[in-house]
Amino acid sequence: MKTDNTFKLGDFEINRIGFGTMRASTGAGIWGDNLNKENTIKVIRTAIENGVNFIDTADSYGPYTSELLVQEAIRPFGDKVMLATKGGAVKYKPGAIMANGHPYYLRTAIEGSLKRLERETIDMYFLHRVDSNIPIEESVGALAQFQKEGKIKHIGISNVTVEQLEKAQTVAKIEAVQNAFNFNDRRYAEVVQKTTEQNIAFVAHTPVAVNNWDDTAFSKAKQGNISVNQLSLAWLLNYAPNVISIPGTSSEKHLIENLASYDVNIKF
């Protein structure tokens, strides 16, 4: 793996194409069990065998079922993988989620994740959503307390603005931000810039926006003899050195195609 295709987070060198499990490990509406669990476990393990070492999940995926599946999938790989999960969002029915950033709830969330993931310490723990009823400093302050207790190694926040990042930084060291970001959805470009300046990992969820690409993008992909997915992921690799994308898939073919984005040589 070339140096510019990795990002150093603490003492861990992350390969910049990770694996997101939101859709791959759950049923329709991000609800319930995946109907092809064994296949998903196989794909995740294939990803790791091919260099993926950052796996992202959340307690709200399922809810809970994703964390259980991910732990089963990565168990043979020990500390070769940085595992990220999230708390602070409640999945209460298929396709519906709401924020809960109250410190008492986050205590319940972290303890549940530790049990499901069979860990004493979670590598990367994100505040999943900012609760409009709770100051972000209180929510992140709870995560800082869990870190002091040894339950979290690295603290992250998700779906945030620059202002919210700055507020969170008053109570804890924020080492990663996870927001939606792709070729067509650049609403968080200012957040990416801020994290780049501070050498904070920016984890791009929803990194492939196939349905939103314009004709120019499809033409460029065709000219380069690559897929639109590869073009999208290569664009993120070229955007900033701290951007880590987490495409998810239940297909080994698409997985290998995604990882081939490292080798795409195209001007944007």
Side-chain angles (χ1 to χ4, degrees):
M1 193 69 63
K2 294 185 295 184
T3 303
D4 57 354
N5 285 336
T6 65
F7 180 82
K8 190 77 174 289
L9 202 163
D11 57 0
F12 198 91
E13 198 86 24
I14 298 173
N15 295 330
R16 290 177 54 211
I17 297 180
F19 192 94
T21 65
M22 182 176 74
R23 297 187 185 280
S25 61
T26 59
I30 324 301
W31 186 264
D33 284 316
N34 181 283
L35 297 178
N36 198 344
K37 177 181 175 181
E38 296 307 316
N39 175 72
T40 302
I41 289 173
K42 183 181 178 182
V43 172
I44 293 173
R45 289 178 177 174
T46 300
I48 297 169
E49 289 163 358
N50 282 272
V52 171
N53 63 357
F54 183 85
I55 306 292
D56 180 83
T57 184
D59 66 354
S60 64
Y61 301 164
Y64 314 135
T65 58
S66 178
E67 288 185 328
L68 292 167
L69 185 150
V70 167
Q71 171 53 23
E72 184 175 346
I74 70 173
R75 189 179 292 126
F77 299 95
D79 59 2
K80 294 181 180 179
V81 175
M82 175 172 277
L83 176 60
T85 192
K86 300 180 282 292
V90 181
K91 190 78 174 178
Y92 59 93
K93 66 178 181 179
I97 195 168
M98 66 180 183
N100 187 341
H102 196 289
Y104 288 125
Y105 175 75
L106 291 171
R107 170 68 69 177
T108 300
I110 186 72
E111 296 295 347
S113 289
L114 286 165
K115 183 176 181 179
R116 287 184 291 274
L117 296 171
E118 300 177 11
R119 300 203 169 197
E120 294 183 359
T121 304
I122 292 173
D123 299 328
M124 169 63 68
Y125 194 80
F126 289 93
L127 175 67
H128 200 163
R129 294 196 175 193
V130 178
D131 187 340
S132 60
N133 296 312
I134 305 289
I136 190 172
E137 296 93 329
E138 290 188 24
S139 300
V140 175
L143 269 55
Q145 177 59 37
F146 305 154
Q147 188 178 52
K148 289 179 182 178
E149 296 170 10
K151 299 178 186 295
I152 298 171
K153 189 170 185 180
H154 304 288
I155 295 175
I157 53 178
S158 184
N159 304 303
V160 296
T161 63
V162 168
E163 181 182 7
Q164 290 167 335
L165 168 60
E166 291 173 343
K167 287 181 178 179
Q169 288 176 314
T170 65
V171 293
K173 181 181 180 182
I174 304 301
E175 297 191 70
V177 172
Q178 183 176 151
N179 284 9
F181 198 64
N182 58 59
F183 186 84
N184 272 17
D185 183 358
R186 306 187 196 186
R187 66 192 132 144
Y188 291 114
E190 187 180 357
V191 179
V192 179
Q193 180 180 346
K194 190 75 170 179
T195 58
T196 304
E197 291 169 355
Q198 298 184 10
N199 199 38
I200 295 170
F202 182 92
V203 181
H205 72 70
T206 325
V208 178
V210 176
N211 294 330
N212 295 326
W213 285 75
D214 58 24
D215 291 340
T216 302
F218 281 105
S219 176
K220 186 179 285 289
K222 186 176 181 179
Q223 289 172 10
N225 196 30
I226 57 176
S227 70
V228 177
N229 282 22
Q230 289 173 322
L231 184 66
S232 180
L233 294 171
W235 179 82
L236 285 167
L237 287 169
N238 279 272
Y239 190 88
N242 62 315
V243 174
I244 300 161
S245 61
I246 49 170
T249 181
S250 57
S251 162
E252 284 189 284
K253 178 183 177 181
H254 290 158
L255 166 69
I256 299 304
E257 178 184 284
N258 288 343
L259 295 178
S261 302
Y262 283 121
D263 300 319
V264 170
N265 184 14
I266 193 169
K267 292 184 179 180
F268 294 96

